[in-house]
Structures are given as C-alpha cells and as structure tokens.
Amino acid sequence: MPRIRPVEYTEATAGVRAAYDEVVRQHGRITNMKRTLLRSRPAFHALMEWYPLRDTVQPFLGERLTNLFAQAISSENDCLICSTFFRRILIEAGEDSDRFVLDDREQAVVDFGQCLAKPLARIPDELFARVAAMFDEEQIVALTAFGALMVATNIVNNALDVDLDDYLEEYRASSVAKATGEG
C-alpha cells in the first residue's frame, strides 16, 4: 500500500491537471510514480528532468546502453518499479533479462551506474579512468547527473512505497537480476 495516495485527476487542481495531461500526451499513460509526484509540482518537475538528461546521454550511449545503465542503477537500489520498467523495455527489445551480454564499454558504464547507486556514490579511480577514456567531460557530467536522477527516482518509489503499475506486473521478476553481465 502506498504511503502517499497518487493524485486522482478528478480531484486535481487545474495546474496539476495540465501536467497530468501533458504526461499522457507525451507518454500515452501516467504512472503511479508520476501521479504521486504530482502531490508536489516542484518535485514532479525536478524528477521529470530525467527525460532531457536521458535525451542528452542517449546519443553517445545508444538506446540499449542507456536502458542498461538505468536498469543497473534501479536494480542496485532494489527499486521494484524502475527495475521492472527497464526490464520490460529490455525484454521487448529482445534481451535476455536474466543475463545481459556486455562488452567492455558497456560493462564500464553499467559498473559506473551501480557505483552511483551505492551509498556515497564513490567511483573507484580505476573505474573512473575507464569511463574517462570513453567519454569527454561534458558527457561524464551528463551521465552522472542522469544516474543521480535515476537514483532520486528510485528513492521516491522506495521511500513512498509507490505501487507497481498494473501494466508492469507481467515483467516483474521474483528477484530482479542485476545488469552485471552475469545475471
């Protein structure tokens, strides 16, 4: 049971309804997480910056690695909603969600994401050197900020016990595999 009741459209203010309508227009549905975030429009707007950051990193990561990065963070944070969301995307793209096959570049990015998800988000020098060899400073900052918003999203879902959306139920894993290349 969620700790905060998601916004119901019929009860929402005009400003919240406008934001709700925009999400539905852009994404075809509004999730329980976004309906919960709409209890605080500044919180909603802050976490919706995830989309522009995703659009910033996707050109240099590619769609698959962007999703693997987000899934690795979400799995590391044990976020049922986000890990299931990315599990669905990866399954629908033909991935074996229990065993991701990663090359060295992908493994470095996934490892970077997993470190961001851990307390204090310390990145070992060796790992940072691997990432810095592949990306420029602007890309590293964007990737780190994207990962940080993924962590923030996971925290909101976990702290507020946001319910898993019905459309994700069939993609739920009994124990969500971490994107480590070993399943």
Side-chain angles (χ1 to χ4, degrees):
M1 173 173 237
R3 291 179 169 166
I4 304 293
R5 191 173 56 85
V7 166
E8 295 296 335
Y9 190 83
T10 57
E11 302 168 357
T13 65
V16 169
R17 282 184 183 178
Y20 193 114
D21 291 341
E22 182 63 17
V23 168
V24 172
R25 187 187 68 71
Q26 288 181 352
H27 304 285
R29 69 170 62 97
I30 188 164
T31 63
N32 291 333
M33 181 192 76
K34 290 179 182 108
R35 289 177 47 229
T36 301
L37 284 169
L38 279 170
R39 291 286 177 195
S40 167
R41 286 179 51 208
F44 171 80
H45 290 296
L47 290 185
M48 291 301 285
E49 286 302 307
W50 182 92
Y51 290 97
L53 280 167
R54 181 208 51 203
D55 294 345
T56 299
V57 303
Q58 195 162 319
F60 64 85
L61 287 184
E63 185 175 355
R64 177 179 186 263
L65 187 51
T66 299
N67 291 325
L68 286 168
F69 179 74
Q71 199 277 338
I73 291 169
S74 300
S75 290
E76 189 69 37
N77 280 326
D78 197 26
C79 178
L80 175 64
I81 292 172
C82 294
S83 60
T84 304
F85 176 82
F86 289 103
R87 178 181 168 82
R88 176 188 66 90
I89 289 173
L90 292 163
I91 288 170
E92 289 179 354
E95 294 283 340
D96 177 349
S97 65
D98 294 322
R99 183 173 175 83
F100 299 108
V101 178
L102 307 175
D103 62 24
D104 291 341
R105 178 178 180 269
E106 293 166 333
Q107 190 65 60
V109 171
V110 164
D111 292 347
F112 187 76
Q114 289 173 325
C115 284
L116 289 175
K118 292 181 179 172
L120 307 179
R122 300 282 186 222
I123 308 296
D125 290 340
E126 176 275 326
L127 176 57
F128 188 82
R130 287 170 45 211
V131 171
M134 296 180 280
F135 305 112
D136 65 33
E137 291 177 343
E138 181 179 346
Q139 292 170 325
I140 293 169
V141 170
L143 182 64
T144 303
F146 175 63
L149 273 184
M150 192 74 251
V151 170
T153 300
N154 296 165
I155 289 171
V156 167
N157 285 325
N158 289 345
L160 301 181
D161 285 333
V162 176
D163 285 338
L164 184 67
D165 296 278
D166 291 341
Y167 81 99
L168 293 174
E169 275 298 332
E170 69 182 281
Y171 296 97
R172 185 178 185 164
S174 56
S175 62
V176 178
K178 292 182 181 174
T180 62
E182 297 176 2

